[in-house]
Amino acid sequence: MQLLQQRIGNYEQTVNEDPIRWLELQEEIRDAFLKAVPSGFLNQKHEINTKQQLMDLIAQITRAKIGKMPELNLEEITKEIQDDILGYGPITDFILDPDIEEIEVNLWNEIWIEKNGVHSSHPQIRFKSEAHLLQTIQRIVDETGRRIDESFPMVDGRMPDGSRFNAVIPPIAPRGSNITIRKFKKKLTPEELISNGTFPKQFLEFFQACVKARLNIMVTGGSSTGKTNLLNMLSTFVPQTERIIVIEDTQELDIKQPNIVRLEARLPTAEGKGRVTIRDLVINSLRMRPDRIIVGEVRGGEALDMLQAMNTGHDGSMTTGHANSPEDMLSRLETMVIMGEKLPVDAIRHQIAAAFDLFVHLRKNSDGSRRIDRVTEVLKVKDGRVQIQDILAHDGEKLKANTLEYSPVMQKLKNYGWGA
């Protein structure tokens, strides 16, 4: 990849090498590799032993071809071609870097990353062309069994390492193809979340009690605020014997409880058939005798079915939602329910008030770190509005407990045996 960075920078100035010869050499090596590789090996390229054998084969072919351009560095050229054939071209090293959280390819020559919560541009790293980027996107999509072309110009999927990607190509991306990759994150333990400042240690027992007392919890926040990490942490407090149904668009949650069933939405086929939505899965999960239902993210008509599940004996269920505040989340829930069914707003608000106990709201700080900003309990409907109050709130310096005259959540925890 370093050679590619140097080469593209040089080509914009003056070079002695012919870039056409360089590209032709790459194609020669690729063709020779594909002819030599044993049948079925490429399907196992992510297995360590198989990948090493394939890398050795590329190196062998490259050594044989390099004589055509002796000015090239064998080690660097081999690495670049290995990345291109077995990896993901110039972004391969980004994908392998555990500290990088997101990779954003806006155009073939415009790549950004997010590392430790901070965005940065890397103009020296780029694909060779729009065709090269499109080829890489196609390879990523093919690994998922999904499809992207002019008829289906956008797609979501999960890469072999668990990272989530979204790709968009022309004609709906008029500037050129783009892909966003959200890296698969290692599940953070409660102790790690405490040490990185997400919440103070003294509130850990509170969150454990909220889960064990079977409160219905929604983790809210903006994009990339740590909602999935926090939901993962909360899931570790679920008793080992309880049956959990986990429902997601694309698998992101890393829930390790033993009694778990995973369900994942499915896009329609090329003929427009076979679509399975989150809402379909939530409805089906009710027939699977769950003790708890965990939905990766509520964003549409499935909100109504989630509310009904919480109101019909599936206490202790959890989900996440995008919102800038708990107040905004209430409004979004109303809108999402209406997307599913045309119900009176008053009926929806009563369903929300009866279903949810807590909103745990996260915020991303200016330095890229994340923190719990508010822990808000949902009260009854009063004067036509769902009432809420903060049990915990961040004052700009630290998360603090509020003094409340009456708190239904704290009463439930007391009945459970916590804080009595």
Side-chain angles (χ1 to χ4, degrees), residues 91-124:
I91 60 173
T92 300
D93 286 351
F94 286 157
I95 291 174
L96 296 176
D97 187 335
D99 294 326
I100 291 177
E101 299 161 3
E102 297 209 21
I103 304 161
E104 300 152 0
V105 181
N106 297 338
L107 291 170
W108 66 270
N109 59 352
E110 185 182 317
I111 298 175
W112 290 70
I113 65 167
E114 181 177 340
K115 187 171 185 176
N116 299 322
V118 178
H119 269 87
S120 60
S121 172
H122 291 260
Q124 77 280 15

Side-chain angles (χ1 to χ4, degrees), residues 385-400:
R385 307 289 297 183
V386 178
Q387 304 300 303
I388 59 176
Q389 66 179 1
D390 290 341
I391 296 177
L392 309 177
H394 204 284
D395 64 0
E397 294 184 1
K398 61 181 179 179
L399 192 66
K400 293 182 177 180

Side-chain angles (χ1 to χ4, degrees), residues 45-316:
K45 67 179 183 180
H46 295 292
E47 297 178 8
I48 295 176
N49 291 337
T50 302
K51 184 174 182 179
Q52 186 58 55
Q53 292 180 54
L54 293 173
M55 290 173 68
D56 292 343
L57 177 58
I58 292 172
Q60 179 184 345
I61 295 171
T62 303
R63 280 194 297 271
K65 298 284 186 181
I66 201 72
K68 296 186 176 185
M69 297 181 73
E71 67 274 22
L72 297 181
N73 181 289
L74 176 61
E75 183 178 346
E76 291 179 342
I77 198 73
T78 301
K79 167 72 166 64
E80 183 177 337
I81 293 175
Q82 287 170 341
D83 285 348
D84 204 42
I85 295 177
L86 301 180
Y88 305 101
I91 60 173
T92 300
D93 286 351
F94 286 157
I95 291 174
L96 296 176
D97 187 335
D99 294 326
I100 291 177
E101 299 161 3
E102 297 209 21
I103 304 161
E104 300 152 0
V105 181
N106 297 338
L107 291 170
W108 66 270
N109 59 352
E110 185 182 317
I111 298 175
W112 290 70
I113 65 167
E114 181 177 340
K115 187 171 185 176
N116 299 322
V118 178
H119 269 87
S120 60
S121 172
H122 291 260
Q124 77 280 15
I125 297 176
R126 56 177 73 179
F127 289 84
K128 290 188 284 287
S129 63
E130 165 70 11
H132 185 206
L133 170 57
L134 189 57
Q135 182 184 65
T136 303
I137 289 173
Q138 191 67 61
R139 190 184 313 134
I140 292 172
V141 174
D142 286 347
E143 289 181 341
T144 69
R146 299 192 178 188
R147 170 185 174 186
I148 189 166
D149 53 35
E150 287 190 1
S151 302
F152 292 85
M154 57 184 179
V155 65
D156 275 307
R158 186 176 68 252
M159 298 173 71
D161 68 349
S163 297
R164 184 173 180 174
F165 73 88
N166 174 272
V168 186
I169 65 173
I172 64 170
R175 293 179 66 211
S177 303
N178 61 78
I179 184 167
T180 306
I181 299 172
R182 173 167 289 187
K183 297 279 294 297
F184 177 77
K185 302 185 184 84
K186 178 179 74 74
K187 182 176 180 179
L188 298 180
T189 65
E191 291 73 25
E192 288 172 320
L193 288 170
I194 291 168
S195 66
N196 69 21
T198 301
F199 64 92
K201 184 176 181 179
Q202 66 262 35
F203 296 120
L204 178 58
E205 287 187 6
F206 168 77
F207 290 120
Q208 289 175 326
C210 287
V211 174
K212 291 178 179 179
R214 304 185 66 83
L215 300 188
N216 291 325
I217 301 171
M218 184 171 220
V219 180
T220 68
S223 180
S224 192
T225 52
K227 298 184 294 297
T228 300
N229 264 328
L230 189 65
L231 186 54
N232 274 329
M233 183 204 77
L234 294 175
S235 73
T236 64
F237 306 142
V238 176
Q240 299 279 304
T241 56
E242 292 189 12
R243 180 174 170 85
I244 308 170
I245 310 297
V246 180
I247 299 171
E248 297 180 87
D249 256 334
T250 302
Q251 184 179 326
E252 285 188 281
L253 293 169
D254 185 25
I255 297 175
K256 300 297 188 184
Q257 304 303 88
N259 193 358
I260 180 175
V261 175
R262 288 189 175 275
L263 303 176
E264 190 169 309
R266 187 176 72 180
L267 294 174
T269 63
E271 294 76 29
K273 299 178 181 179
R275 180 181 180 87
V276 180
T277 66
I278 292 290
R279 186 173 190 188
D280 296 330
L281 297 177
V282 172
I283 292 171
N284 187 76
S285 71
L286 300 178
R287 307 185 184 106
M288 299 172 69
R289 210 210 74 82
D291 290 308
R292 301 180 191 239
I293 299 171
I294 297 179
V295 178
E297 181 185 349
V298 171
R299 60 166 70 95
E302 68 273 6
L304 174 60
D305 304 289
M306 190 73 182
L307 293 177
Q308 291 176 338
M310 290 176 170
N311 282 322
T312 54
H314 300 92
D315 295 337

Side-chain angles (χ1 to χ4, degrees), residues 368-401:
S369 61
R370 285 85 169 172
R371 72 170 194 240
I372 291 178
D373 195 55
R374 296 166 64 184
V375 176
T376 305
E377 68 176 317
V378 182
L379 305 173
K380 295 181 178 180
V381 176
K382 182 179 180 182
D383 299 327
R385 307 289 297 183
V386 178
Q387 304 300 303
I388 59 176
Q389 66 179 1
D390 290 341
I391 296 177
L392 309 177
H394 204 284
D395 64 0
E397 294 184 1
K398 61 181 179 179
L399 192 66
K400 293 182 177 180

